[in-house]
Amino acid sequence: MYILIEGERYKLELLESLFTDPKFYKVNGLEATVTSVGYYHCFENNKLVFMLPKVFMRDGEKTVLDVTKDELVALAFGTSIKHKIEFNWVRQLSIYFYNSLLEYRKRCIDSKLINDSAAFDLNTNLQEKEYSFLDILLSIINFYKKNKQQILYKHIELTSRHLNKVKWERTIRKSLPIVIGVGTPVYQEPIAKKKLVDNEEELITYFFSIVSYLNSEYNLSIKFDPTYKIIKGRNFDLLCKNGLKKLKNIKYRYFSDVLIKMYKLCELYFSQFDQSNVKKKREDFLSISNYNIVFEDMIDKLFSDDLNDVEVDGISIDQLKNNDDGKIIDHIYSYESLIDTSDIFYIGDSKYYKSNSEAGKVSKYKQFTYAKNVIQFNIDLLNSNNANSIEKVRYRDSLTEGYNVSPNFFIYGYIDDIGNYNNPSIEQKGSVIRSFHFNDRLFDRDTLFVHQYKINFLYVLKAYTSHRDHNTQEFRRQAKQKFRDNFIEFFNDADRSGFTIYNFKHGKDKIEQFVNDNFRLLNGKCFLTNQNELVIAVYKEDKSIKDLVDNNFELKELN
């Protein structure tokens, strides 16, 4: 098996030896850059290739495994590099990674979540109900692991039943038993005068020979102690060519579910070598040239599984994701406001970079544009006849004309532990990004803050193909609460946010008069909550309202 990393350069000679088609890389002199992410198998040279996302690469020459991309190239299952790192993770990673591409293809076909132009970048020659070589390989190995004890026991039982006059003295002296149960020895090959032929042996011999070959060819680290004879070398090559014919001759011998499944797996494997099939492929592959779209869909599925069906107070999430100016928001969901008990839309952007990278200026400006579009969408609804439909989502207060704080976030994929698939490990990353027209106005539509987070890419990869809805729901609950708590902690710390929050202390009946009398001073600095509580945010360098605040407000902590 060969592991390449998207966006990295390799010797052209190497890539030409792995791929029969140059569509997976871009040539630059004697080197070439891998341009795709995905899976590839060539039937002619029997080479299996994974093109992993660039998140597996750190800045510089090292991968997330602390080895270079070149050391990672010719990596077989279960081997180690320089005897320092055990790579038992490779098979698990390949399964999750391959399944994630299948899930993306399924979501491309079954939903409108992904725009058509992105879907066209997913390349494959696998039809909807076709099996890839990797599908067959994994099915055979999983079947073997699940049923090997049953097959072994059945063989021993059948053999023992037809033995005549077992010579136990010679059997004990010349063979080693296996121990089952509580210390019970079982001899697999008792020595006797006469043995009847096991009619099931032929099929199981074929199956065990396939397992033995795959174990050896791809270093699958399977503990393999076969009872049946194994066909190897040139004889196995001949078996592959004539396997379908041999299977056809023994097709009606088997009735148990295990043996029927074994027969079908052997048939699938041998069908790859059938020269009579004119439609036989030279290769199978599943790849995409813009993996950021897949990563966005992974994160989106974590936060909102059915975006087209989600509505908040009559507002379709799909409407909010697809802006009138053509821009598409990566992630958006409704959750508790930072200021009161109303809801607000949290707006996120997936950042598909190498594990240690951060967003640049362009990404920051795009995020601010997304937020302003969502704010304007809600204000348009407020100004229309649909005002009652956005009762819970509250962006603007009509008394103060202040705007609710609109939370934004970037989310990056990263890998720290190659074996960690079960912990999202969401952590804050970098500094809080701020945009404003007036630096002393928190409740202004142009004052925006973006928090940055990193999330364990391997957790996202596994969760994307998981159908355990309870786990996904729990993740959403914890992640959304975490994002809100971190924003509140940020605004409760004046040294970090630059603002101190105060609460009006004279009672609700005096709020309207107070705001009207001091509107010029309070513009963009105060907000009336849905609980009729007037709050004011005082910027650290703003001296213009010091006396007004000292006389009328008291400190408030957000919660």
Side-chain angles (χ1 to χ4, degrees), residues 235-355:
N235 289 332
F236 182 75
D237 294 337
L238 290 173
L239 174 64
C240 289
K241 293 179 180 179
N242 303 316
L244 286 179
K245 184 177 180 180
K246 289 179 177 291
L247 285 176
K248 189 175 181 180
N249 293 333
I250 61 174
K251 182 174 183 179
Y252 298 104
R253 291 184 188 176
Y254 313 109
F255 301 98
S256 76
D257 290 341
V258 171
L259 292 175
I260 291 172
K261 180 69 181 292
M262 186 187 297
Y263 181 95
K264 290 181 178 178
L265 289 172
C266 290
E267 189 176 42
L268 280 173
Y269 184 81
F270 290 142
S271 65
Q272 300 173 92
F273 306 93
D274 181 17
Q275 299 298 319
S276 65
N277 187 354
V278 294
K279 294 182 180 179
K280 181 175 178 290
K281 293 185 174 73
R282 296 170 57 204
E283 60 189 0
D284 55 48
F285 60 87
L286 183 64
S287 70
I288 189 166
S289 58
N290 50 349
Y291 192 76
N292 60 299
I293 302 293
V294 181
F295 182 62
E296 288 170 13
D297 195 49
M298 287 179 178
I299 299 294
D300 232 13
K301 187 178 177 183
L302 271 179
F303 281 99
S304 185
D305 199 4
D306 239 341
L307 290 181
N308 285 322
D309 296 334
V310 175
E311 288 191 358
V312 181
D313 291 345
I315 304 170
S316 164
I317 298 293
D318 189 53
Q319 285 178 279
L320 291 172
K321 283 178 68 70
N322 295 278
N323 295 175
D324 290 339
D325 62 1
K327 294 182 173 64
I328 301 174
I329 296 174
D330 287 357
H331 318 294
I332 183 169
Y333 62 87
S334 173
Y335 199 60
E336 298 171 29
S337 165
L338 309 180
I339 303 298
D340 57 18
T341 60
S342 67
D343 280 355
I344 202 78
F345 286 109
Y346 288 65
I347 305 161
D349 194 11
S350 300
K351 291 297 152 195
Y352 173 62
Y353 299 139
K354 294 180 181 179
S355 274

Side-chain angles (χ1 to χ4, degrees), residues 372-497:
K372 290 174 182 178
N373 284 348
V374 171
I375 293 171
Q376 186 59 53
F377 181 91
N378 283 274
I379 298 305
D380 289 344
L381 282 177
L382 181 65
N383 293 333
S384 70
N385 295 328
N386 294 325
N388 292 332
S389 69
I390 58 169
E391 181 179 352
K392 186 152 191 193
V393 176
R394 190 165 175 267
Y395 268 87
R396 189 177 71 192
D397 160 39
S398 59
L399 175 64
T400 66
E401 297 184 9
Y403 287 80
N404 204 340
V405 179
S406 184
N408 296 266
F409 63 91
F410 287 149
I411 189 159
Y412 306 79
Y414 81 106
I415 300 172
D416 270 354
D417 180 358
I418 197 64
N420 180 13
Y421 288 87
N422 298 318
N423 190 338
S425 304
I426 296 180
E427 300 175 12
Q428 286 193 279
K429 173 187 176 82
S431 58
V432 177
I433 304 166
R434 184 184 176 200
S435 175
F436 56 87
H437 281 186
F438 302 96
N439 63 357
D440 58 350
R441 297 183 184 180
L442 177 61
F443 301 113
D444 184 90
R445 66 182 295 163
D446 293 313
T447 300
L448 299 167
F449 295 85
V450 182
H451 281 201
Q452 301 188 81
Y453 293 92
K454 59 180 185 175
I455 186 170
N456 177 14
F457 176 82
L458 298 179
Y459 172 84
V460 177
L461 190 67
K462 180 180 178 181
Y464 188 57
T465 58
S466 172
H467 299 288
R468 296 177 182 175
D469 190 57
H470 171 74
N471 292 346
T472 302
Q473 293 293 342
E474 182 61 20
F475 165 82
R476 289 176 190 161
R477 186 191 67 77
Q478 293 182 4
K480 291 176 181 180
Q481 188 63 50
K482 183 185 184 78
F483 288 0
R484 182 178 186 273
D485 289 346
N486 286 343
F487 263 107
I488 287 176
E489 182 182 340
F490 172 74
F491 284 115
N492 282 334
D493 185 344
D495 290 334
R496 293 178 63 201
S497 68

